[in-house]
Amino acid sequence: MGNCLVAQSGGPTAVINASLAGVIRANQLNPIYDKVLGGIHGVEGVLAGKLYDLTDIPGDEIEILRQTPSSALGTCRYKLKRGQEEDFQKLVSVMDTNDVDTMFYIGGNDSMDTVDALSEWAAAHGSEKRFIGIPKTVDNDLVPPDHCPGFPSAAKLANLITHATKLDYDAYTRPEVFVLETMGRDAGWLAASCCLTGDVDLVVLPEVAFNKDEFLQLVQKKMDSQGSCYIVVSEGAHYEDGTYISAGESANDGFAHAVLGGAALTLKQMIVDAGIAPRGVVQGLSRAARSSNFAQSKVDVTEAYELGMSAHMRSASPDFTAQVVGVHRGDVNGEYNAEYFAGPASEFANFVKAFPAEWIRPDYAGVTDAALDYFRPLVAGEPDIIYGDDGMPKTVKPYNLR
Amino acid sequence: MGNCLVAQSGGPTAVINASLAGVIRANQLNPIYDKVLGGIHGVEGVLAGKLYDLTDIPGDEIEILRQTPSSALGTCRYKLKRGQEEDFQKLVSVMDTNDVDTMFYIGGNDSMDTVDALSEWAAAHGSEKRFIGIPKTVDNDLVPPDHCPGFPSAAKLANLITHATKLDYDAYTRPEVFVLETMGRDAGWLAASCCLTGDVDLVVLPEVAFNKDEFLQLVQKKMDSQGSCYIVVSEGAHYEDGTYISAGESANDGFAHAVLGGAALTLKQMIVDAGIAPRGVVQGLSRAARSSNFAQSKVDVTEAYELGMSAHMRSASPDFTAQVVGVHRGDVNGEYNAEYFAGPASEFANFVKAFPAEWIRPDYAGVTDAALDYFRPLVAGEPDIIYGDDGMPKTVKPYNLR
């Protein structure tokens, strides 16, 4: 079938390389493609003809690639838009030049839309090029699958840091509040997942319009009853009118440029200014949340790897195109079990899965048991990390830098 | 010999409970004290008579206590000052009431000074009470020992996050700077340790007066030559006149309350305002740096545990008092080897070990090979973590909350 091409797009995750490793390994087990070429920096590099031969990477490097966080091929935010005829032609011409008939694209909603748009274009132009999507996103907001590779590891790190910092916070007698901020611009999956540890008093999600007065009353109540209040806030938390919590205060407080840590800093300051606590501690997860190779979720890295393999294996059928692979939640004797499936790219591209309203408890009091049941199996299992002599998890040198 | 008392003070660390576990376990191996009593919230709780019996904690709980971050007995910032006669009398009276003749105090400089002051007071008042120190501090600033328990684990987490976020940062093509901020108000040990990964371009330490113009020129140079610049800054970095970087800018930018993340946010904004990069990413370690049970240094947790044991074992000699245990760096066939010692509490209490000037490379270019040789063995070795069914490292419920 000639060669295949694999590229990565959007924000990196702790396991996006596991999916890449899965594609490469699958082709070593069943070499249906002569070569597996890596496209550097997503479609941006592919359009520039930047490809890197990954076909014969040795088994031990594949194992290290599996546990290397971030995108080893580099990433891009460039979006191929329908109607950009020149880009489409250029991309197909690069594929032709390199004898590529199938492209695997690992990414989030936008990347799955690229898969859809390229497939449409190919069909409309009588091209036999095929485009197949492998999902990833720490935002966990794709509709058809139960969850998205990258999210469980981010949730695991968020839980590890929540519990560790809660223990640290509880060691003191002095009155102060603790505010942890997680990624999550539009959906509160990651912030909500922090409730798993049982340590969180109040959670502020983007799904619920923020009411300052109500919130401060609840903080006051916690401080009065237990002398402490551990708060988790999603970076995208906002007021009724859509103004971000951070942005709302920044006009006055000068936090305008505090892109990260903005919501947590603002909440802390709000509480201090209201005289509820004389001080507070702010903990941001920032980029560490999505690059935690030292705290990969075992379920996550396994699924990400197997989704890469599944996409490759399904592509043995010549008519497999415009499809994205994913995981449904199965149940075997009451235990979580991943069930792999494939569906139309259009279904992955055009919808955003919000954190379910019925899983949110009122009064910022966290999430329901149903939500915890959803999260629990995703973070379970300890990772099998290969360490170097330096005591650090081994990582591959990014291919995009070579 | 009656009972002994053990308490924790100052900022928690990832391994301060390992020292506590060492004292408890040593007394199970050789029960020279009838009971091991835990003082709740340092001297503050001891003065209030809050003691908790730890004598017969089962072996498996001791193993979990070893890996539980933060201070299981709670901590305090209360300092017993020489001349506070009432406090000294009260403390000794609590010891009498509970048949305690020996107190182990786990803490930093201030706590070692408390050990010294209490020992002096006992000697002056013909009391046979004994006071023994076990050091801990993520700041790594005690003079006699080679390093302090707590620091290696903080350094390990800092290195893990440095490397993971560098990989994440390098996945992008867009021009932006990355600024990581570590704890370290007076000494730059933790920020300097981040150089171990080889990922850091510029390091701003409290030991070198910050020069904005020079620094910005160096950032510009990195951006020109490689299109990226990964910066690490210690929270205590400051200008020639002692003004903290964060504080200096906060007067203008409103970051006055941004206690954490202040230096990194300020540097990022400085670079953006100078037109050197259109954007930047800020990553703070904050409290996570000192409570990383999921990334304990193996050397650290072993030494912290063994220092607890060593203090207990040495106390079998009735004249062992006013002493603090510590670790010297030994060398066996070119390999790092911990050598345990004890020395006068006064030597631990009254000096602060700055990061050596001769280990700092000019132009914010990180640290010398001698510094890296110092750090390397401290973070080596992977931790043996006991996980629960939930995929999280097991922790004990803090004794101070019971």
Side-chain angles (χ1 to χ4, degrees):
Chain A
M1 280 215 264
N3 302 324
C4 74
L5 173 63
V6 54
Q8 299 172 316
S9 187
T13 78
V15 301
I16 187 170
N17 288 330
S19 294
L20 172 62
V23 173
I24 300 167
R25 193 57 167 174
N27 200 61
Q28 293 178 350
L29 302 182
N30 184 22
I32 56 178
Y33 303 103
D34 293 332
K35 285 186 190 168
V36 177
L37 301 173
I40 305 301
H41 291 300
V43 287
E44 211 173 320
V46 174
L47 287 171
K50 293 185 186 166
L51 307 183
Y52 183 82
D53 191 350
L54 301 163
T55 318
D56 299 319
I57 287 180
D60 59 353
E61 183 168 337
I62 289 178
E63 281 192 69
I64 307 300
L65 176 60
R66 245 175 83 115
Q67 71 173 32
T68 301
S70 185
S71 308
L73 294 168
T75 186
C76 71
R77 294 275 185 194
Y78 188 77
K79 196 180 167 186
L80 273 190
K81 292 200 192 84
R82 285 171 179 78
Q84 286 174 341
E85 198 60 22
E86 205 179 317
D87 277 350
F88 283 69
Q89 285 172 358
K90 176 69 185 164
L91 191 121
V92 169
S93 129
V94 170
M95 289 173 79
D96 275 337
T97 307
N98 293 280
D99 196 22
V100 169
D101 51 41
T102 304
M103 176 174 171
F104 298 98
Y105 209 29
I106 313 172
N109 304 59
D110 281 354
S111 308
M112 297 308 104
D113 192 44
T114 299
V115 166
D116 193 41
L118 283 165
S119 306
E120 267 178 26
W121 189 91
H125 290 75
S127 163
E128 294 195 344
K129 302 295 180 204
R130 301 185 303 157
F131 301 92
I132 297 163
I134 303 168
K136 73 85 216 166
T137 167
V138 293
D139 296 334
N140 204 37
D141 58 358
L142 301 187
V143 168
D146 176 72
H147 57 276
C148 304
F151 170 71
S153 291
K156 181 143 190 168
L157 186 76
N159 273 271
L160 286 166
I161 290 188
T162 297
H163 188 52
T165 54
K166 177 59 156 53
L167 287 171
D168 188 290
Y169 175 51
D170 279 345
Y172 289 93
T173 49
R174 64 189 180 204
E176 61 183 3
V177 292
F178 194 102
V179 192
L180 174 83
E181 176 167 336
T182 71
M183 288 181 136
R185 189 57 71 181
D186 301 314
W189 291 97
L190 194 53
S193 77
C194 295
C195 296
L196 257 185
T197 64
D199 292 318
V200 179
D201 292 312
L202 300 175
V203 180
V204 186
L205 304 174
E207 282 80 1
V208 178
F210 181 70
N211 181 310
K212 182 172 167 175
D213 293 338
E214 271 176 32
F215 174 76
L216 289 178
Q217 276 170 30
L218 292 162
V219 176
Q220 180 76 64
K221 217 165 139 187
K222 286 285 171 193
M223 291 302 293
D224 289 346
S225 64
Q226 62 188 32
S228 66
C229 187
Y230 191 105
I231 301 161
V232 173
V233 60
S234 191
E235 60 178 345
H238 55 76
Y239 291 93
E240 185 80 51
D241 68 358
T243 313
Y244 287 121
I245 289 182
S246 48
E249 295 291 307
S250 62
N252 307 320
D253 290 358
F255 290 126
H257 306 293
V259 177
L260 291 163
L265 271 174
T266 306
L267 285 189
K268 184 207 73 164
Q269 198 51 45
M270 202 181 276
I271 293 162
V272 170
D273 288 345
I276 297 170
R279 47 175 288 161
V281 182
V282 167
Q283 175 80 50
L285 296 182
S286 188
R287 293 283 178 90
R290 69 185 195 193
S291 53
S292 57
N293 57 333
F294 49 97
Q296 275 179 340
S297 146
K298 190 168 185 173
V299 164
D300 196 21
V301 69
T302 303
E303 290 179 357
Y305 182 70
E306 293 187 343
L307 281 169
M309 295 194 98
S310 177
H312 176 280
M313 290 154 80
R314 289 171 195 263
S315 79
S317 303
D319 59 349
F320 188 76
T321 186
Q323 295 276 305
V324 178
V325 291
V327 171
H328 286 317
R329 179 174 301 228
D331 180 307
V332 176
N333 300 325
E335 295 291 318
Y336 170 86
N337 186 55
E339 291 175 359
Y340 294 86
F341 74 98
S346 56
E347 292 181 9
F348 283 74
N350 299 317
F351 307 95
V352 170
K353 185 163 67 179
F355 187 77
E358 65 273 23
W359 284 1
I360 302 174
R361 296 173 63 197
D363 292 341
Y364 308 98
V367 298
T368 64
D369 288 346
L372 299 181
D373 288 343
Y374 169 86
F375 289 128
R376 200 168 286 114
L378 303 185
V379 301
E382 51 266 36
D384 303 311
I385 302 283
I386 303 162
Y387 286 87
D389 292 338
D390 57 359
M392 302 275 285
K394 286 190 176 182
T395 56
V396 300
K397 199 176 154 167
Y399 304 126
N400 63 310
L401 295 181
R402 286 188 187 168
Chain B
M1 279 214 265
N3 302 324
C4 74
L5 172 64
V6 54
Q8 301 173 315
S9 186
T13 79
V15 301
I16 187 170
N17 287 331
S19 293
L20 172 62
V23 173
I24 300 167
R25 193 57 167 173
N27 201 62
Q28 294 178 349
L29 302 182
N30 183 22
I32 56 178
Y33 303 103
D34 294 331
K35 286 187 190 168
V36 177
L37 301 173
I40 304 302
H41 291 301
V43 288
E44 212 172 320
V46 175
L47 287 172
K50 293 186 186 164
L51 307 184
Y52 183 82
D53 190 349
L54 301 163
T55 318
D56 298 319
I57 287 181
D60 58 353
E61 183 170 337
I62 289 179
E63 280 193 70
I64 306 300
L65 177 60
R66 246 175 84 115
Q67 71 174 30
T68 301
S70 185
S71 308
L73 294 169
T75 185
C76 71
R77 295 274 185 196
Y78 188 77
K79 198 181 166 185
L80 274 190
K81 291 199 192 86
R82 284 171 180 78
Q84 287 174 341
E85 198 60 22
E86 205 180 316
D87 278 350
F88 284 68
Q89 284 171 358
K90 175 71 185 164
L91 192 121
V92 169
S93 129
V94 170
M95 290 173 79
D96 275 337
T97 307
N98 293 279
D99 195 23
V100 169
D101 52 38
T102 305
M103 175 175 171
F104 298 98
Y105 209 28
I106 313 173
N109 303 62
D110 280 355
S111 309
M112 298 309 104
D113 192 43
T114 299
V115 167
D116 194 40
L118 284 165
S119 307
E120 265 177 28
W121 190 91
H125 291 74
S127 163
E128 294 194 345
K129 301 294 178 207
R130 301 185 304 157
F131 301 93
I132 298 164
I134 302 168
K136 73 84 218 169
T137 168
V138 293
D139 295 335
N140 204 38
D141 58 357
L142 301 186
V143 168
D146 177 71
H147 57 276
C148 305
F151 170 71
S153 291
K156 182 143 190 169
L157 187 77
N159 272 271
L160 286 165
I161 290 187
T162 298
H163 188 52
T165 54
K166 177 59 157 53
L167 288 170
D168 188 289
Y169 175 50
D170 279 345
Y172 289 92
T173 49
R174 64 190 179 203
E176 62 184 0
V177 292
F178 194 103
V179 192
L180 174 83
E181 176 168 336
T182 72
M183 288 181 135
R185 189 56 71 180
D186 301 314
W189 291 96
L190 193 53
S193 78
C194 295
C195 296
L196 259 184
T197 65
D199 292 318
V200 179
D201 292 311
L202 300 174
V203 180
V204 186
L205 303 174
E207 282 80 1
V208 179
F210 182 69
N211 182 310
K212 182 173 169 175
D213 292 340
E214 271 176 32
F215 174 75
L216 288 176
Q217 276 170 31
L218 291 162
V219 177
Q220 180 77 65
K221 218 166 138 187
K222 286 286 171 194
M223 289 303 292
D224 289 348
S225 64
Q226 62 188 30
S228 66
C229 188
Y230 191 105
I231 300 162
V232 173
V233 61
S234 189
E235 60 176 346
H238 55 76
Y239 291 93
E240 185 82 52
D241 68 359
T243 314
Y244 287 122
I245 289 182
S246 47
E249 294 291 308
S250 61
N252 307 319
D253 290 359
F255 289 127
H257 306 293
V259 176
L260 291 164
L265 271 174
T266 306
L267 284 188
K268 186 209 73 167
Q269 198 51 44
M270 201 183 275
I271 293 163
V272 170
D273 288 345
I276 296 169
R279 49 175 287 162
V281 182
V282 167
Q283 174 81 49
L285 295 183
S286 188
R287 292 284 177 89
R290 69 184 193 191
S291 53
S292 56
N293 56 333
F294 49 97
Q296 275 180 340
S297 146
K298 190 168 186 175
V299 164
D300 197 20
V301 69
T302 304
E303 291 178 356
Y305 182 70
E306 293 189 341
L307 280 169
M309 296 195 97
S310 177
H312 175 279
M313 291 154 80
R314 288 171 197 263
S315 78
S317 303
D319 59 349
F320 188 76
T321 186
Q323 295 276 305
V324 178
V325 291
V327 170
H328 287 317
R329 181 174 299 230
D331 180 307
V332 175
N333 300 325
E335 296 291 319
Y336 170 87
N337 186 54
E339 292 175 359
Y340 296 85
F341 74 98
S346 56
E347 291 181 9
F348 284 74
N350 299 316
F351 307 95
V352 170
K353 184 162 70 179
F355 188 77
E358 65 272 23
W359 283 1
I360 302 173
R361 297 173 63 196
D363 292 340
Y364 308 98
V367 298
T368 64
D369 288 345
L372 299 181
D373 289 344
Y374 169 85
F375 289 127
R376 200 168 285 113
L378 303 185
V379 302
E382 52 268 36
D384 303 312
I385 302 282
I386 303 162
Y387 286 87
D389 292 339
D390 58 358
M392 303 274 286
K394 286 190 176 182
T395 56
V396 301
K397 200 177 153 163
Y399 305 126
N400 63 310
L401 295 182
R402 286 187 188 171

